Amino acid sequence: NADYTLVDPPRYPFAFSDNTLLRAVNRQLIKARPAFHKKTLLKLLNKSAEFCSACHKVHLPYVLNHYRWLRGQNHYDSFLLSGVSGHRVDSFYYPEQAAANCAHCHMPLTPSIDPAARDFAGNGERAVHNHHFAAANTAVPAMLGYPDEVNASRRELLSRAARVDIFGIRKDGRVDGELLAPLRPALPSLQPGKRYLIETVVRTLGIGHELTQGTADSNELWLDVIVRSGDRVVGRSGALEEQGEVDPWAYYLNAYLLDRDGKRIERRNAQDIFVALYNHQIPPGAAAVVHYVLTVPSNVTGPISIETKLQYRKFDTRFLRHIEGDDFDGNTLPITTLAQDRVTLPLDNATGLSAQTTAIPTWERWNDYGIGLLRAGNEGANKGELRAAAMAFARVEELGRADGPLNLARVYFKEGRIDEAAAVLQRAADFEPPPPPWSLAWYSALVQRELGQLDEAISTLEELAATRFTEARERGFDFSRDYRMLNELGRILFERARSERGESKKAARVILLERAKQRFEQVLAIDPENVTAHYNLALVNTELGETQVAEHHHALHEQYRPDDQAVERAVTLHRRHNPAANHAAEAVAVYDLQRADSW
């Protein structure tokens, strides 16, 4: 929670003079000797993501909510634990060079003749970093009546955030139905009267944190899907009603927040935030799969066109009603289309449709589809998503990409199929070109841990913690800040220490415990409220006989851990009274394009 003390720095002579000539001298001094000006105004901290984190990684303290410590919005960790920053060891995708900070995107280079302008890009064009700090708040300029051009930089930034891909269809309208994919160039024929499942993939691209992030409870990001046969609309999801409210049964890429009584947070009442009913935000370089069911009407005669738009509006209608009160006359805030896709499918093997293509490589479409399914899949009711993900990654492997077996190992590991995970990791390592060696090392270490090869796992993870990969260093990556990996290393060291039993092995056990302690403390230097690190430090210090330190970390673990029992009550209450939200919170939700009450 932001807490900076700002002190007016020393100024050049005549900075506050009332004399016009002396003020001109002051400006000339700055231009002639800018080094002092830069040194006093621009600190190293200002160039770091940590500077921004003070406002963008927040918590709700007891004095605010009179309940307990809770995490609030958190752009920072989303960026930190990503391939974009170069700190995450197992990102699905990585940039050519790591983005060192938030300014990389939010202060883009802008051509300028200002004296401070330089040729930053090495293309002969002088530029400065844009200080409009363009982000996604398109609402405030509109509410203040500013010209539409004011939002131009925001729209440009938003246009790079994500993409939508109508990837395939499944027969019989079931998530386990036969998959016909990828759509384009192949165009499978639809049959009147038959049900189909439309598989839509949303993938984050030019964004360094989750989509949408920020005030995710009042941001409005949804998929608008319309299906037509000629001019006739035969399916719809995500339409607007008369006052601009979005169909509540649409698919939203937001965080749906509740208070302790199971009521939705809808007026930015942060003090009441308690739990997320669901969180559909997509991390950087990841994807989500959305299932839509459609029955082709028996009386249609023309081809079926499917159009999907990823729509964004800064404030949803609920929040706007609270702002405007009696003056509310509908939500007319600007809607920005972040991405869109369209495909037309023939009926009954008809011919004559124009060729349709997509610029996304075929292997990448399969990979993104698998990523979305993998993220949704777990043991239990939605295990089918994991099976489908495995099939998708097998296709990626067939297309000659090492991403296929590497991601297949992720699936097998999630399912507990350790021996099979080890086998496909070896296949991935034999690929040319191979997958990122650091991601390969991470999953190899997890497999080694499960097989009881603790010393090998420790060695592998310590290589990661030291970023001993030439390519990674050349690209500006630094895995010593992936605190998930550091926690894993600490846990394995602790487990290894406990295997050193007996008085004769006491010295070796203490050394391992101290190494584990060091790793967990390394985590807390990055994330001071990390529940896992505090829990394990309580255990480690107990083993070391540091009772007082152990009690300290145990108390902090109790302070920061979630209250699972209370969370379950709030979620149950809301799901019981809100059918649309209850549906969206399902592990695998299928969105009906032909609901009887659809707008």
Side-chain angles (χ1 to χ4, degrees):
N1 293 6
D3 186 11
Y4 285 118
T5 300
L6 302 180
V7 178
D8 194 32
R11 300 300 184 102
Y12 283 72
F14 316 124
F16 303 107
S17 174
D18 294 329
N19 186 288
T20 303
L21 177 59
L22 293 179
R23 285 202 306 272
V25 170
N26 172 265
R27 290 194 294 271
Q28 192 58 40
L29 286 171
I30 294 174
K31 293 176 183 179
R33 299 291 299 273
F36 177 72
H37 180 74
K38 181 177 179 180
K39 183 177 180 180
T40 56
L41 291 178
L42 184 65
K43 308 297 183 184
L44 285 176
L45 174 66
N46 301 140
K47 295 183 177 183
S48 70
E50 287 72 28
F51 175 68
C52 302
S53 76
C55 289
H56 292 279
K57 180 177 181 177
V58 305
H59 67 270
L60 311 177
Y62 175 84
V63 293
L64 179 69
N65 60 22
H66 302 293
Y67 169 57
R68 63 183 298 158
W69 186 97
L70 293 173
R71 171 63 65 209
Q73 70 159 267
N74 188 358
H75 284 70
Y76 175 71
D77 281 22
S78 176
F79 169 75
L80 180 75
L81 297 178
S82 74
V84 176
S85 68
H87 298 314
R88 189 182 183 103
V89 296
D90 63 336
S91 179
F92 293 108
Y93 296 99
Y94 288 93
E96 285 302 312
Q97 286 290 322
N101 52 38
C102 310
H104 182 84
C105 288
H106 294 284
M107 297 181 69
L109 294 176
T110 302
S112 174
I113 59 172
D114 187 273
R118 287 191 289 150
D119 182 11
F120 290 97
N123 58 6
E125 185 176 50
R126 296 173 68 227
V128 295
H129 288 284
N130 192 302
H131 279 62
H132 287 164
F133 301 100
N137 194 336
T138 55
V140 170
M143 295 170 77
L144 294 175
Y146 289 172
D148 186 61
E149 295 76 29
V150 172
N151 273 328
S153 59
R154 293 176 176 85
R155 285 195 298 269
E156 196 279 328
L157 191 70
L158 289 167
S159 69
R160 297 185 273 115
R163 73 181 176 211
V164 176
D165 180 21
I166 304 172
F167 175 72
I169 58 172
R170 289 187 180 272
K171 291 184 176 181
D172 303 321
R174 303 197 322 266
V175 292
D176 60 349
E178 180 187 351
L179 177 64
L180 306 176
L183 301 181
R184 295 157 293 180
L187 299 172
S189 185
L190 304 181
Q191 303 296 316
K194 298 289 187 181
R195 280 168 62 87
Y196 298 93
L197 202 70
I198 302 169
E199 300 284 72
T200 302
V201 179
V202 183
R203 154 86 185 278
T204 50
L205 293 171
I207 187 168
H209 49 72
E210 287 182 325
L211 184 70
T212 71
Q213 267 292 352
T215 55
D217 53 309
S218 58
N219 292 346
E220 200 163 43
L221 184 65
W222 76 99
L223 283 177
D224 184 359
V225 182
I226 184 165
V227 183
R228 295 184 177 91
S229 178
D231 294 331
R232 176 185 172 187
V233 175
V234 298
R236 189 75 195 266
S237 175
L240 300 180
E241 58 93 36
E242 288 183 1
Q243 286 199 310
E245 188 167 359
V246 181
D247 173 5
W249 289 87
Y251 180 82
Y252 292 89
L253 286 84
N254 66 336
Y256 194 109
L257 304 181
L258 305 177
D259 66 16
R260 273 174 280 177
D261 297 318
K263 296 178 182 178
R264 185 170 185 180
I265 299 295
E266 58 180 39
R267 53 186 175 85
R268 297 265 61 242
N269 43 320
Q271 71 278 8
D272 297 323
I273 292 174
F274 182 64
V275 65
L277 175 65
Y278 64 77
N279 184 358
H280 287 170
Q281 297 180 104
I282 306 175
V289 173
V290 191
H291 309 291
Y292 289 98
V293 66
L294 172 77
T295 298
V296 179
S298 58
N299 59 354
V300 298
T301 57
I304 299 293
S305 69
I306 307 165
E307 184 178 14
T308 302
K309 294 181 179 180
L310 180 59
Q311 304 282 55
Y312 168 78
R313 184 165 57 186
K314 174 56 186 172
F315 296 140
D316 65 24
T317 304
R318 295 177 187 83
F319 182 52
L320 201 61
R321 282 198 181 101
H322 286 292
I323 294 174
E324 298 185 354
D326 294 338
D327 295 328
F328 179 77
D329 191 30
N331 192 341
T332 59
L333 293 176
I335 294 173
T336 304
T337 299
L338 271 61
Q340 57 187 317
D341 193 23
R342 180 188 176 103
V343 65
T344 302
L345 301 176
L347 285 182
D348 287 327
N349 298 311
T351 59
L353 283 181
S354 301
Q356 299 171 57
T357 60
T358 175
I360 310 171
T362 301
W363 77 266
E364 199 170 321
R365 297 181 74 193
W366 277 109
N367 201 46
D368 292 345
Y369 182 60
I371 290 168
L373 295 169
L374 171 62
R375 292 182 58 242
N378 286 299
E379 293 295 307
N382 54 343
K383 189 175 180 178
E385 302 287 87
L386 290 178
R387 288 195 294 268
M391 179 275 298
F393 294 137
R395 292 298 302 271
V396 175
E397 184 173 3
E398 290 172 7
L399 292 167
R401 294 285 307 195
D403 307 70
L406 176 63
N407 290 338
L408 189 56
R410 300 178 197 249
V411 176
Y412 289 158
F413 189 83
K414 200 169 187 179
E415 291 182 315
R417 299 158 65 179
I418 304 304
D419 290 335
E420 291 166 276
V424 293
L425 283 172
Q426 186 57 56
R427 288 211 308 269
D430 293 338
F431 255 77
E432 188 58 46
W438 47 89
S439 296
L440 202 60
W442 166 248
Y443 281 100
S444 296
L446 297 183
V447 168
Q448 289 163 345
R449 180 201 67 195
E450 292 300 313
L451 295 176
Q453 300 167 1
L454 301 187
D455 288 331
E456 292 86 346
I458 290 168
S459 177
T460 302
L461 291 176
E462 286 184 333
E463 285 191 358
L464 279 170
T467 318
R468 295 192 187 117
F469 302 89
T470 302
E471 180 190 349
R473 289 181 175 275
E474 289 174 349
R475 294 167 68 175
F477 300 166
D478 175 10
F479 304 127
S480 69
R481 297 183 62 76
D482 187 336
Y483 58 70
R484 302 167 311 120
M485 180 269 296
L486 296 174
N487 270 330
E488 188 61 41
L489 175 53
R491 278 196 295 248
I492 298 174
L493 284 164
F494 178 63
E495 186 177 348
R496 180 67 181 83
R498 299 189 74 180
S499 70
E500 296 286 352
R501 298 185 178 91
E503 190 63 30
S504 63
K505 297 184 177 181
K506 181 178 180 181
R509 183 167 64 251
V510 169
I511 290 172
L512 287 164
L513 289 170
E514 290 290 351
R515 288 169 63 189
K517 180 178 180 179
Q518 179 187 12
R519 292 304 182 181
F520 292 127
E521 289 175 343
Q522 190 177 348
V523 170
L524 294 183
I526 302 167
D527 181 31
E529 301 90 11
N530 192 276
V531 173
T532 301
H534 283 299
Y535 175 79
N536 282 283
L537 278 169
L539 297 178
V540 170
N541 281 287
T542 298
E543 291 282 331
L544 288 169
E546 299 285 348
T547 306
Q548 189 172 357
V549 179
E551 290 175 353
H552 169 72
H553 286 291
H554 177 72
L556 290 173
H557 172 258
E558 286 297 308
Q559 178 180 345
Y560 298 136
R561 70 175 180 83
D563 184 353
D564 294 328
Q565 186 174 356
V567 163
E568 184 178 350
R569 174 184 173 273
V571 167
T572 301
L573 283 171
H574 193 83
R575 294 188 69 163
R576 187 182 302 152
H577 295 104
N578 191 320
N582 178 54
H583 170 261
E586 291 291 337
V588 179
V590 175
Y591 291 80
D592 191 346
L593 289 165
Q594 295 159 317
R595 287 184 53 81
D597 58 350
S598 174
W599 287 324

